[in-house]
């Protein structure tokens, strides 16, 4: 029998009405001949009683020195609560169901508290449950390591749980239900004219996610790509629409040429960035290595890195900028900071075979008087660092320029 894994995000399980919609989507898939395994996130968003952030602050308020082990234990509870409630809702509606923790669902993690990776998945209990005709409801975002300790998978981790289970169960597809209608041409919260993308490649979604579009976790997309599992992103209230994420081949089926392909598929953005510009003189070239080494040792991620003989430029998240300043000061280097920066990234598999994409980006931003502070690129992405105040206008003008 064909299997589908359905993952429901926090808002999709937050109220009794929303959970009714979950039941409807599960029933519908069963009517269409699927065995259904459900993965859930913690209910609601920050501030809601059982959200991950609320549970975390519950302990941190009084005990800010709590160990990472205990923090992971409490953070894993939100999904367990959610799984129990969703399973009970299904039972009430006549669908036999059982709730399972990540550990019971066989997700084995690497022991890295707060940011664990899944190293193996042996979903025996999930298979048993499916074989009995039940709907197993699995707590996302968690697993246990080889010592039996609970680990959480980091923000967006339930997406990864769903795709890994999909691969382990040899599911036909994984459906990610969220609070937007699919993967859109830009974040719909920022740009209301953003449109749903009907079909997109794994590579593009991964890149969008890395560049700040949190609609799906990049690790989940990587797992889907490696296992060639189709992923659908949609809204539980509007399941007739949505986005299909697949390999490039299905997009280009029957096509021999790249002409007519879209250069840009979507735009992602990230905020709260600080740009560092460090001056270098002939007398201190040895500090080049030292600076990057020290930043690495401080566990700070740097981005948009440009190295020239006389200047080194990069960005960091605002929360890390103080630590980086300390490092640079200790090395006695002269530097300049540009605070309140944002990064806009245009992403598209078509762009590497279509000339002139950068020219169109620059023209659009210039005409709108948006200053480009720095740029970076990969084969399917061009990123521009700009001031946060210009972000909305930049996304809007680029969205128009590439006819998204
Ligand atoms: P969930 O709780 O269901 O996992 P998330 O909040 O993690 O939901 O992801 C959905 C959010 O992703 C949307 O509310 C939207 O603001 C944001 N988002 C950012 N970029 C995009 C995009 N390109 N398409 C759709 N949503 C996006
Ligand atoms: Mg999410």
């Amino acid at each position: 029998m064909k299997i589908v894994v359905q993952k429901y995000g926090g808002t999709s399980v937050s109220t009794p009405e929303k959970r009714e919609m979950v039941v409807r989507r599960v029933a519908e898939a069963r009517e269409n001949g699927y065995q259904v395994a459900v993965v859930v996130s913690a209910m609601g968003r920050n501030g809601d009683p059982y959200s991950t952030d609320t549970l975390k602050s519950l302990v941190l308020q009084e005990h800010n020195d709590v160990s990472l082990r205990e923090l992971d234990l409490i953070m894993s509870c939100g999904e367990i609560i959610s799984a129990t409630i969703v399973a009970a809702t299904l039972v009430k509606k006549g669908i036999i169901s059982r709730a399972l923790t990540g550990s019971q669902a066989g997700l084995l993690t690497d022991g890295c508290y707060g940011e664990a990776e899944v190293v193996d998945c042996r979903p025996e209990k999930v298979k048993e449950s499916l074989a009995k005709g039940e709907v197993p409801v699995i707590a996302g975002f968690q697993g246990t390591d080889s010592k039996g300790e609970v680990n959480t998978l980091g923000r967006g981790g339930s997406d990864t749980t769903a795709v890994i289970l999909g691969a382990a169960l040899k599911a036909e597809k994984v459906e990610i239900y969220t609070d937007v209608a699919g993967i859109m041409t830009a974040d719909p919260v920022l740009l209301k004219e953003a449109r749903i993308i009907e079909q997109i490649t794994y590579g593009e979604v991964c890149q969008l996610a890395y560049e700040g579009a949190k609609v799906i976790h990049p690790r989940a997309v990587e797992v889907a790509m490696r296992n060639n599992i189709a992923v659908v992103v949609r809204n539980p209230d509007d399941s007739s629409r949505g986005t299909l994420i697949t390999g490039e081949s299905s997009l280009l089926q029957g096509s021999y040429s790249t002409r007519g392909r879209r250069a840009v598929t979507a735009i992602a953005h990230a905020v709260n960035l600080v740009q560092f510009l460090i001056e270098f003189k002939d007398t201190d070239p040895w500090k080049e290595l030292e600076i990057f080494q020290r930043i690495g040792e401080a566990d700070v991620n740097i981005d948009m890195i440009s190295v020239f003989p006389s200047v080194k430029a990069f960005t960091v998240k605002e929360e890390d900028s103080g630590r980086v300043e300390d490092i640079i000061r200790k090395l006695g280097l002269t530097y300049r900071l540009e605070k309140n920066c944002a990064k806009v990234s245009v992403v598209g598999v078509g762009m590497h075979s279509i000339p002139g994409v950068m020219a169109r980006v620059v023209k659009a931003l210039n005409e709108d008087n948006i200053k480009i502070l720095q740029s970076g690129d990969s084969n399917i992405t061009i990123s521009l660092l700009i001031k946060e105040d210009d972000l909305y206008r930049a996304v809007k003008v680029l969205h128009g320029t590439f006819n998204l």
Side-chain angles (χ1 to χ4, degrees):
M1 214 171 157
K2 48 189 187 174
I3 295 175
V4 60
V5 176
Q6 298 185 333
K7 178 256 168 175
Y8 293 90
T11 44
S12 306
V13 292
S14 58
T15 64
E17 296 73 39
K18 301 251 181 193
R19 294 191 284 271
E20 295 264 325
M21 207 47 87
V22 173
V23 176
R24 240 197 257 178
R25 296 284 83 88
V26 169
E28 191 176 76
R30 279 157 63 93
E31 279 156 23
N32 289 331
Y34 286 94
Q35 289 183 320
V36 188
V38 172
V39 173
V40 289
S41 295
M43 296 190 284
R45 301 229 176 249
N46 194 8
D48 291 340
Y50 308 107
S51 76
T52 308
D53 288 314
T54 305
L55 296 170
K56 196 175 161 186
S57 57
L58 187 67
V59 59
L60 287 178
Q61 259 168 23
E62 278 182 56
H63 311 280
N64 62 12
D65 56 347
V66 70
S67 71
L68 291 175
R69 176 186 180 277
E70 266 68 25
L71 204 55
D72 256 12
L73 210 50
I74 194 163
M75 286 210 300
S76 70
C77 294
E79 277 71 16
I80 299 175
I81 294 168
S82 185
T84 312
I85 304 284
V86 169
T89 312
L90 285 163
V91 170
K92 194 167 154 195
K93 299 283 172 184
I95 298 174
I96 302 173
S97 173
R98 75 167 94 174
L100 296 169
T101 65
S103 170
Q104 288 174 322
L107 283 116
L108 192 71
T109 46
D110 63 1
C112 179
Y113 292 117
E115 262 310 320
E117 285 207 39
V118 176
V119 291
D120 200 3
C121 179
R122 295 181 195 159
E124 300 317 318
K125 274 185 190 290
V126 180
K127 286 184 189 164
E128 262 170 45
S129 177
L130 288 172
K132 284 186 185 160
E134 301 173 357
V135 173
V137 182
I138 298 109
F141 178 67
Q142 57 183 276
T144 41
D145 66 11
S146 55
K147 296 183 190 122
E149 299 292 353
V150 173
N151 296 162
T152 64
L153 308 184
R155 213 158 265 279
S158 294
D159 296 334
T160 312
T161 304
V163 177
I164 285 174
L165 271 173
L169 295 169
K170 298 194 168 44
E172 188 191 276
K173 59 180 171 177
V174 174
E175 296 175 342
I176 305 281
Y177 286 97
T178 182
D179 61 354
V180 283
I183 295 177
M184 323 272 288
T185 47
D187 186 344
V189 171
L190 181 72
L191 192 73
K192 60 177 186 314
E193 62 255 44
R195 278 187 318 100
I196 302 179
I197 301 163
E198 272 174 36
Q199 201 176 356
I200 189 167
T201 64
Y202 296 119
E204 286 169 308
V205 179
C206 246
Q207 202 65 33
L208 285 170
Y210 279 125
E211 299 298 357
K214 63 161 189 174
V215 60
I216 185 168
H217 198 278
R219 205 179 284 157
V221 185
E222 279 169 15
V223 176
M225 178 156 58
R226 280 201 298 273
N227 292 277
N228 203 25
I229 289 194
V231 178
V232 179
V233 179
R234 57 162 79 121
N235 188 304
D237 303 329
D238 185 12
S239 63
S240 60
R241 299 192 294 167
T243 303
L244 174 64
I245 312 174
T246 56
E248 187 169 11
S249 55
S250 58
L251 268 181
L252 296 175
Q253 252 163 21
S255 151
Y256 297 112
S257 115
T258 52
R259 287 210 184 87
R261 270 169 79 175
R262 59 191 178 197
V264 172
T265 305
I267 302 171
H269 71 269
V271 292
N272 293 329
L273 303 174
V274 175
Q275 183 193 36
F276 278 82
L277 294 154
I278 308 171
E279 279 174 36
F280 269 66
K281 301 190 194 74
D282 287 345
T283 47
D284 44 28
W286 56 274
K287 287 181 181 167
E288 183 174 271
L289 170 63
E290 194 144 1
I291 187 145
F292 290 116
Q293 252 173 358
R294 296 264 171 93
I295 294 172
E297 282 158 14
D299 230 7
V300 171
N301 269 317
I302 56 175
D303 191 27
M304 303 282 286
I305 308 158
S306 303
V307 172
F308 302 98
S310 61
V311 64
K312 323 288 161 191
F314 55 83
T315 61
V316 299
K317 290 202 183 112
E318 198 175 289
E319 71 228 38
D320 293 329
S321 70
R323 279 190 292 157
V324 174
E325 267 192 274
D326 284 346
I327 292 169
I328 301 170
R329 257 195 238 116
K330 277 190 193 135
L331 289 171
L333 291 164
T334 316
Y335 66 98
R336 205 157 59 72
L337 281 190
E338 191 72 49
K339 292 185 178 171
N340 304 318
C341 292
K343 184 168 69 159
V344 185
S345 304
V346 295
V347 175
V349 277
M351 84 169 54
H352 58 89
S353 51
I354 298 174
V357 178
M358 185 59 173
R360 289 169 72 184
V361 168
V362 173
K363 181 167 184 273
L365 297 181
N366 282 352
E367 281 176 359
D368 220 2
N369 286 321
I370 296 166
K371 189 169 167 189
I372 302 171
L373 302 171
Q374 204 181 330
S375 75
D377 65 279
S378 76
N379 62 339
I380 63 165
T381 305
I382 294 176
S383 296
L384 297 312
L385 192 72
I386 56 174
K387 293 300 285 185
E388 227 166 77
D389 285 341
D390 293 334
L391 177 63
Y392 171 71
R393 280 191 301 128
V395 172
K396 191 174 166 69
V397 73
L398 290 171
H399 199 263
T401 295
F402 291 101
N403 305 316
L404 299 180

